[in-house]
Amino acid sequence: MEQGSAREGVRPAYAPGAFSCAPADGRTRECRVPEQARGERAGGERAGGRPADGEQARGEHTHSEPPAPRAVQRHSVRGQILEALRAALVDGELVPGQVYSAPALGARFGVSATPVREAMQRLAVEGAVEVVPNRGFRVSERGPRELAELAEVRALIEVPVMLGLARTVPAHRWCGLRPLAEATVTAAAVGDRAAYAESDRAFHRAVLTLSGNEQLVAVADELHRRSQWPLMSGPATRRADLLADASEHTALLDALVSQDLVVVQALVREHFAGADR
């Protein structure tokens, strides 16, 4: 249930050095780096021809200065690699039990091993992979029991929250979530498991956000993400299964609008039980 697709060979949407400043009206605008971040030129001169002022001048810093572009680029690359790896996990492109090296994955994505290694370390914290010293990272192997346990915990958290929201949230707020539910149907219709996984989490996050409990939303989202990782064996999620899950989103919204608590509870439990398919 709730899985998506990552296309083979698709590189993350970035290009080294391509970061620029562009206003909303589409006109280009030059990004200037603060002089303190540029360092000194050869010969003891600062950019702009002014002489260096010694250690005190080199250490100058104001709170209004933006971070250096180099740090922004690295963070952006790592984040995009992390999302690409997560999509590959959801799709089963990274096979459970297999070991992957950072240099090999870096070559695949067209980046150095460093952002891949950093992203993999994050996935290790999440439990998606295991560190294999001197080799790389092994994709974690999971069985049906773990998936069923995740579904049970998610139901324990989300069912009572959604029942409470059904009693208090006005109908127009639920109608505002309709585009998110429709996005899951669109992804399911084309069999895009990665897009479905992301849109599925976005829908559930939006529903739980109405509770006003940020910690609950974060915990539920992490459990949801883990439930999307593939089993160590078994067929990939079929398009028909994705469509069935997606249709439950729209049906759930209808039940929430009408405050039909019996249907809300039944749909949420069935939705989570579908993870065992």
PDB file of all heavy atoms in Angstrom, residues 49-75:
ATOM      1  N   GLY A  49      39.028  46.653  -3.933  1.00  0.00           N
ATOM      2  CA  GLY A  49      40.266  47.387  -3.926  1.00  0.00           C
ATOM      3  C   GLY A  49      40.666  47.941  -2.576  1.00  0.00           C
ATOM      4  O   GLY A  49      41.693  48.592  -2.450  1.00  0.00           O
ATOM      5  N   ARG A  50      39.872  47.674  -1.507  1.00  0.00           N
ATOM      6  CA  ARG A  50      40.240  48.211  -0.215  1.00  0.00           C
ATOM      7  C   ARG A  50      41.263  47.322   0.461  1.00  0.00           C
ATOM      8  O   ARG A  50      41.176  46.100   0.363  1.00  0.00           O
ATOM      9  CB  ARG A  50      38.994  48.316   0.676  1.00  0.00           C
ATOM     10  CG  ARG A  50      38.029  49.394   0.206  1.00  0.00           C
ATOM     11  CD  ARG A  50      36.831  49.445   1.107  1.00  0.00           C
ATOM     12  NE  ARG A  50      36.091  48.167   1.040  1.00  0.00           N
ATOM     13  CZ  ARG A  50      35.166  47.826   1.925  1.00  0.00           C
ATOM     14  NH1 ARG A  50      34.909  48.592   2.940  1.00  0.00           N
ATOM     15  NH2 ARG A  50      34.540  46.687   1.782  1.00  0.00           N
ATOM     16  N   PRO A  51      42.224  47.876   1.190  1.00  0.00           N
ATOM     17  CA  PRO A  51      43.240  47.075   1.860  1.00  0.00           C
ATOM     18  C   PRO A  51      42.634  46.291   3.004  1.00  0.00           C
ATOM     19  O   PRO A  51      41.618  46.675   3.580  1.00  0.00           O
ATOM     20  CB  PRO A  51      44.242  48.130   2.362  1.00  0.00           C
ATOM     21  CG  PRO A  51      43.430  49.373   2.524  1.00  0.00           C
ATOM     22  CD  PRO A  51      42.419  49.326   1.407  1.00  0.00           C
ATOM     23  N   ALA A  52      43.290  45.173   3.334  1.00  0.00           N
ATOM     24  CA  ALA A  52      42.849  44.355   4.463  1.00  0.00           C
ATOM     25  C   ALA A  52      43.087  45.105   5.755  1.00  0.00           C
ATOM     26  O   ALA A  52      44.039  45.858   5.895  1.00  0.00           O
ATOM     27  CB  ALA A  52      43.612  43.030   4.479  1.00  0.00           C
ATOM     28  N   ASP A  53      42.229  44.893   6.737  1.00  0.00           N
ATOM     29  CA  ASP A  53      42.336  45.594   8.004  1.00  0.00           C
ATOM     30  C   ASP A  53      42.783  44.684   9.132  1.00  0.00           C
ATOM     31  O   ASP A  53      42.574  44.966  10.301  1.00  0.00           O
ATOM     32  CB  ASP A  53      40.970  46.206   8.379  1.00  0.00           C
ATOM     33  CG  ASP A  53      40.551  47.262   7.366  1.00  0.00           C
ATOM     34  OD1 ASP A  53      41.423  47.975   6.870  1.00  0.00           O
ATOM     35  OD2 ASP A  53      39.337  47.343   7.100  1.00  0.00           O
ATOM     36  N   GLY A  54      43.366  43.539   8.839  1.00  0.00           N
ATOM     37  CA  GLY A  54      43.881  42.650   9.870  1.00  0.00           C
ATOM     38  C   GLY A  54      42.821  41.699  10.381  1.00  0.00           C
ATOM     39  O   GLY A  54      41.747  41.555   9.834  1.00  0.00           O
ATOM     40  N   GLU A  55      43.115  41.043  11.467  1.00  0.00           N
ATOM     41  CA  GLU A  55      42.255  39.997  11.986  1.00  0.00           C
ATOM     42  C   GLU A  55      40.879  40.531  12.381  1.00  0.00           C
ATOM     43  O   GLU A  55      39.881  39.878  12.186  1.00  0.00           O
ATOM     44  CB  GLU A  55      42.922  39.340  13.205  1.00  0.00           C
ATOM     45  CG  GLU A  55      44.150  38.532  12.870  1.00  0.00           C
ATOM     46  CD  GLU A  55      43.802  37.391  11.949  1.00  0.00           C
ATOM     47  OE1 GLU A  55      42.720  36.805  12.118  1.00  0.00           O
ATOM     48  OE2 GLU A  55      44.618  37.085  11.061  1.00  0.00           O
ATOM     49  N   GLN A  56      40.842  41.743  12.949  1.00  0.00           N
ATOM     50  CA  GLN A  56      39.561  42.273  13.377  1.00  0.00           C
ATOM     51  C   GLN A  56      38.623  42.456  12.195  1.00  0.00           C
ATOM     52  O   GLN A  56      37.456  42.121  12.244  1.00  0.00           O
ATOM     53  CB  GLN A  56      39.764  43.596  14.103  1.00  0.00           C
ATOM     54  CG  GLN A  56      38.440  44.203  14.609  1.00  0.00           C
ATOM     55  CD  GLN A  56      38.673  45.455  15.409  1.00  0.00           C
ATOM     56  OE1 GLN A  56      39.817  45.879  15.548  1.00  0.00           O
ATOM     57  NE2 GLN A  56      37.606  46.046  15.935  1.00  0.00           N
ATOM     58  N   ALA A  57      39.163  42.966  11.069  1.00  0.00           N
ATOM     59  CA  ALA A  57      38.325  43.175   9.886  1.00  0.00           C
ATOM     60  C   ALA A  57      37.887  41.865   9.287  1.00  0.00           C
ATOM     61  O   ALA A  57      36.774  41.710   8.842  1.00  0.00           O
ATOM     62  CB  ALA A  57      39.091  43.996   8.844  1.00  0.00           C
ATOM     63  N   ARG A  58      38.815  40.879   9.256  1.00  0.00           N
ATOM     64  CA  ARG A  58      38.444  39.588   8.664  1.00  0.00           C
ATOM     65  C   ARG A  58      37.360  38.898   9.473  1.00  0.00           C
ATOM     66  O   ARG A  58      36.602  38.109   8.970  1.00  0.00           O
ATOM     67  CB  ARG A  58      39.675  38.681   8.560  1.00  0.00           C
ATOM     68  CG  ARG A  58      40.625  39.103   7.444  1.00  0.00           C
ATOM     69  CD  ARG A  58      41.591  37.978   7.147  1.00  0.00           C
ATOM     70  NE  ARG A  58      42.426  37.663   8.293  1.00  0.00           N
ATOM     71  CZ  ARG A  58      43.613  38.250   8.529  1.00  0.00           C
ATOM     72  NH1 ARG A  58      44.053  39.209   7.737  1.00  0.00           N
ATOM     73  NH2 ARG A  58      44.326  37.911   9.573  1.00  0.00           N
ATOM     74  N   GLY A  59      37.281  39.188  10.749  1.00  0.00           N
ATOM     75  CA  GLY A  59      36.297  38.515  11.587  1.00  0.00           C
ATOM     76  C   GLY A  59      34.972  39.235  11.668  1.00  0.00           C
ATOM     77  O   GLY A  59      34.091  38.833  12.412  1.00  0.00           O
ATOM     78  N   GLU A  60      34.848  40.354  10.934  1.00  0.00           N
ATOM     79  CA  GLU A  60      33.616  41.114  10.995  1.00  0.00           C
ATOM     80  C   GLU A  60      32.433  40.277  10.520  1.00  0.00           C
ATOM     81  O   GLU A  60      32.524  39.513   9.582  1.00  0.00           O
ATOM     82  CB  GLU A  60      33.719  42.364  10.126  1.00  0.00           C
ATOM     83  CG  GLU A  60      34.644  43.434  10.713  1.00  0.00           C
ATOM     84  CD  GLU A  60      34.724  44.622   9.792  1.00  0.00           C
ATOM     85  OE1 GLU A  60      34.224  44.518   8.652  1.00  0.00           O
ATOM     86  OE2 GLU A  60      35.263  45.636  10.204  1.00  0.00           O
ATOM     87  N   HIS A  61      31.304  40.445  11.183  1.00  0.00           N
ATOM     88  CA  HIS A  61      30.105  39.711  10.783  1.00  0.00           C
ATOM     89  C   HIS A  61      28.896  40.454  11.324  1.00  0.00           C
ATOM     90  O   HIS A  61      28.912  40.937  12.454  1.00  0.00           O
ATOM     91  CB  HIS A  61      30.129  38.295  11.349  1.00  0.00           C
ATOM     92  CG  HIS A  61      28.917  37.500  10.954  1.00  0.00           C
ATOM     93  ND1 HIS A  61      28.757  36.978   9.694  1.00  0.00           N
ATOM     94  CD2 HIS A  61      27.815  37.176  11.659  1.00  0.00           C
ATOM     95  CE1 HIS A  61      27.617  36.362   9.634  1.00  0.00           C
ATOM     96  NE2 HIS A  61      27.015  36.467  10.823  1.00  0.00           N
ATOM     97  N   THR A  62      27.881  40.586  10.541  1.00  0.00           N
ATOM     98  CA  THR A  62      26.642  41.202  10.993  1.00  0.00           C
ATOM     99  C   THR A  62      25.519  40.199  10.882  1.00  0.00           C
ATOM    100  O   THR A  62      25.541  39.303  10.053  1.00  0.00           O
ATOM    101  CB  THR A  62      26.288  42.437  10.130  1.00  0.00           C
ATOM    102  OG1 THR A  62      26.062  42.007   8.794  1.00  0.00           O
ATOM    103  CG2 THR A  62      27.416  43.470  10.162  1.00  0.00           C
ATOM    104  N   HIS A  63      24.514  40.357  11.734  1.00  0.00           N
ATOM    105  CA  HIS A  63      23.401  39.406  11.758  1.00  0.00           C
ATOM    106  C   HIS A  63      22.567  39.485  10.499  1.00  0.00           C
ATOM    107  O   HIS A  63      21.800  38.581  10.205  1.00  0.00           O
ATOM    108  CB  HIS A  63      22.525  39.673  12.981  1.00  0.00           C
ATOM    109  CG  HIS A  63      23.204  39.367  14.282  1.00  0.00           C
ATOM    110  ND1 HIS A  63      23.509  38.081  14.664  1.00  0.00           N
ATOM    111  CD2 HIS A  63      23.659  40.178  15.267  1.00  0.00           C
ATOM    112  CE1 HIS A  63      24.109  38.103  15.844  1.00  0.00           C
ATOM    113  NE2 HIS A  63      24.212  39.364  16.236  1.00  0.00           N
ATOM    114  N   SER A  64      22.686  40.586   9.743  1.00  0.00           N
ATOM    115  CA  SER A  64      21.859  40.748   8.552  1.00  0.00           C
ATOM    116  C   SER A  64      22.453  40.065   7.328  1.00  0.00           C
ATOM    117  O   SER A  64      21.812  39.998   6.293  1.00  0.00           O
ATOM    118  CB  SER A  64      21.674  42.240   8.245  1.00  0.00           C
ATOM    119  OG  SER A  64      22.935  42.844   7.977  1.00  0.00           O
ATOM    120  N   GLU A  65      23.685  39.552   7.437  1.00  0.00           N
ATOM    121  CA  GLU A  65      24.320  38.936   6.273  1.00  0.00           C
ATOM    122  C   GLU A  65      23.694  37.583   5.967  1.00  0.00           C
ATOM    123  O   GLU A  65      23.443  36.788   6.868  1.00  0.00           O
ATOM    124  CB  GLU A  65      25.814  38.719   6.541  1.00  0.00           C
ATOM    125  CG  GLU A  65      26.607  40.015   6.642  1.00  0.00           C
ATOM    126  CD  GLU A  65      28.050  39.734   6.999  1.00  0.00           C
ATOM    127  OE1 GLU A  65      28.381  38.534   7.089  1.00  0.00           O
ATOM    128  OE2 GLU A  65      28.818  40.670   7.162  1.00  0.00           O
ATOM    129  N   PRO A  66      23.423  37.289   4.699  1.00  0.00           N
ATOM    130  CA  PRO A  66      22.923  35.956   4.332  1.00  0.00           C
ATOM    131  C   PRO A  66      24.053  34.947   4.404  1.00  0.00           C
ATOM    132  O   PRO A  66      25.223  35.310   4.387  1.00  0.00           O
ATOM    133  CB  PRO A  66      22.453  36.152   2.877  1.00  0.00           C
ATOM    134  CG  PRO A  66      23.323  37.255   2.363  1.00  0.00           C
ATOM    135  CD  PRO A  66      23.548  38.182   3.533  1.00  0.00           C
ATOM    136  N   PRO A  67      23.738  33.660   4.531  1.00  0.00           N
ATOM    137  CA  PRO A  67      24.787  32.641   4.551  1.00  0.00           C
ATOM    138  C   PRO A  67      25.516  32.578   3.224  1.00  0.00           C
ATOM    139  O   PRO A  67      24.980  32.954   2.183  1.00  0.00           O
ATOM    140  CB  PRO A  67      24.012  31.338   4.812  1.00  0.00           C
ATOM    141  CG  PRO A  67      22.636  31.626   4.322  1.00  0.00           C
ATOM    142  CD  PRO A  67      22.397  33.084   4.602  1.00  0.00           C
ATOM    143  N   ALA A  68      26.747  32.073   3.257  1.00  0.00           N
ATOM    144  CA  ALA A  68      27.536  31.969   2.032  1.00  0.00           C
ATOM    145  C   ALA A  68      26.874  31.015   1.058  1.00  0.00           C
ATOM    146  O   ALA A  68      26.331  29.991   1.448  1.00  0.00           O
ATOM    147  CB  ALA A  68      28.948  31.479   2.368  1.00  0.00           C
ATOM    148  N   PRO A  69      26.876  31.292  -0.249  1.00  0.00           N
ATOM    149  CA  PRO A  69      26.228  30.430  -1.241  1.00  0.00           C
ATOM    150  C   PRO A  69      26.717  28.994  -1.210  1.00  0.00           C
ATOM    151  O   PRO A  69      25.973  28.079  -1.473  1.00  0.00           O
ATOM    152  CB  PRO A  69      26.573  31.117  -2.575  1.00  0.00           C
ATOM    153  CG  PRO A  69      26.803  32.541  -2.216  1.00  0.00           C
ATOM    154  CD  PRO A  69      27.419  32.523  -0.840  1.00  0.00           C
ATOM    155  N   ARG A  70      27.991  28.777  -0.877  1.00  0.00           N
ATOM    156  CA  ARG A  70      28.529  27.419  -0.870  1.00  0.00           C
ATOM    157  C   ARG A  70      27.734  26.522   0.071  1.00  0.00           C
ATOM    158  O   ARG A  70      27.380  25.403  -0.259  1.00  0.00           O
ATOM    159  CB  ARG A  70      30.001  27.439  -0.456  1.00  0.00           C
ATOM    160  CG  ARG A  70      30.665  26.071  -0.518  1.00  0.00           C
ATOM    161  CD  ARG A  70      32.090  26.164  -0.026  1.00  0.00           C
ATOM    162  NE  ARG A  70      32.870  27.092  -0.835  1.00  0.00           N
ATOM    163  CZ  ARG A  70      33.487  26.736  -1.953  1.00  0.00           C
ATOM    164  NH1 ARG A  70      33.392  25.498  -2.399  1.00  0.00           N
ATOM    165  NH2 ARG A  70      34.176  27.624  -2.639  1.00  0.00           N
ATOM    166  N   ALA A  71      27.408  27.024   1.272  1.00  0.00           N
ATOM    167  CA  ALA A  71      26.650  26.221   2.227  1.00  0.00           C
ATOM    168  C   ALA A  71      25.237  25.956   1.722  1.00  0.00           C
ATOM    169  O   ALA A  71      24.704  24.877   1.897  1.00  0.00           O
ATOM    170  CB  ALA A  71      26.605  26.925   3.581  1.00  0.00           C
ATOM    171  N   VAL A  72      24.618  26.941   1.075  1.00  0.00           N
ATOM    172  CA  VAL A  72      23.271  26.760   0.551  1.00  0.00           C
ATOM    173  C   VAL A  72      23.253  25.674  -0.512  1.00  0.00           C
ATOM    174  O   VAL A  72      22.399  24.803  -0.530  1.00  0.00           O
ATOM    175  CB  VAL A  72      22.750  28.088  -0.038  1.00  0.00           C
ATOM    176  CG1 VAL A  72      21.420  27.866  -0.739  1.00  0.00           C
ATOM    177  CG2 VAL A  72      22.588  29.118   1.068  1.00  0.00           C
ATOM    178  N   GLN A  73      24.233  25.690  -1.407  1.00  0.00           N
ATOM    179  CA  GLN A  73      24.288  24.692  -2.468  1.00  0.00           C
ATOM    180  C   GLN A  73      24.439  23.293  -1.889  1.00  0.00           C
ATOM    181  O   GLN A  73      23.763  22.365  -2.295  1.00  0.00           O
ATOM    182  CB  GLN A  73      25.460  24.994  -3.398  1.00  0.00           C
ATOM    183  CG  GLN A  73      25.252  26.243  -4.253  1.00  0.00           C
ATOM    184  CD  GLN A  73      26.358  26.416  -5.266  1.00  0.00           C
ATOM    185  OE1 GLN A  73      26.949  25.434  -5.700  1.00  0.00           O
ATOM    186  NE2 GLN A  73      26.651  27.646  -5.618  1.00  0.00           N
ATOM    187  N   ARG A  74      25.326  23.135  -0.917  1.00  0.00           N
ATOM    188  CA  ARG A  74      25.548  21.804  -0.374  1.00  0.00           C
ATOM    189  C   ARG A  74      24.287  21.265   0.287  1.00  0.00           C
ATOM    190  O   ARG A  74      23.923  20.111   0.110  1.00  0.00           O
ATOM    191  CB  ARG A  74      26.686  21.870   0.654  1.00  0.00           C
ATOM    192  CG  ARG A  74      26.931  20.541   1.339  1.00  0.00           C
ATOM    193  CD  ARG A  74      28.204  20.571   2.143  1.00  0.00           C
ATOM    194  NE  ARG A  74      28.399  19.320   2.837  1.00  0.00           N
ATOM    195  CZ  ARG A  74      29.495  19.005   3.501  1.00  0.00           C
ATOM    196  NH1 ARG A  74      30.506  19.852   3.523  1.00  0.00           N
ATOM    197  NH2 ARG A  74      29.608  17.852   4.129  1.00  0.00           N
ATOM    198  N   HIS A  75      23.597  22.115   1.044  1.00  0.00           N
ATOM    199  CA  HIS A  75      22.376  21.673   1.700  1.00  0.00           C
ATOM    200  C   HIS A  75      21.328  21.279   0.671  1.00  0.00           C
ATOM    201  O   HIS A  75      20.637  20.283   0.817  1.00  0.00           O
ATOM    202  CB  HIS A  75      21.851  22.787   2.600  1.00  0.00           C
ATOM    203  CG  HIS A  75      20.534  22.462   3.236  1.00  0.00           C
ATOM    204  ND1 HIS A  75      20.429  21.590   4.295  1.00  0.00           N
ATOM    205  CD2 HIS A  75      19.267  22.851   2.945  1.00  0.00           C
ATOM    206  CE1 HIS A  75      19.162  21.466   4.634  1.00  0.00           C
ATOM    207  NE2 HIS A  75      18.432  22.229   3.838  1.00  0.00           N
TER     208      HIS A  75
END
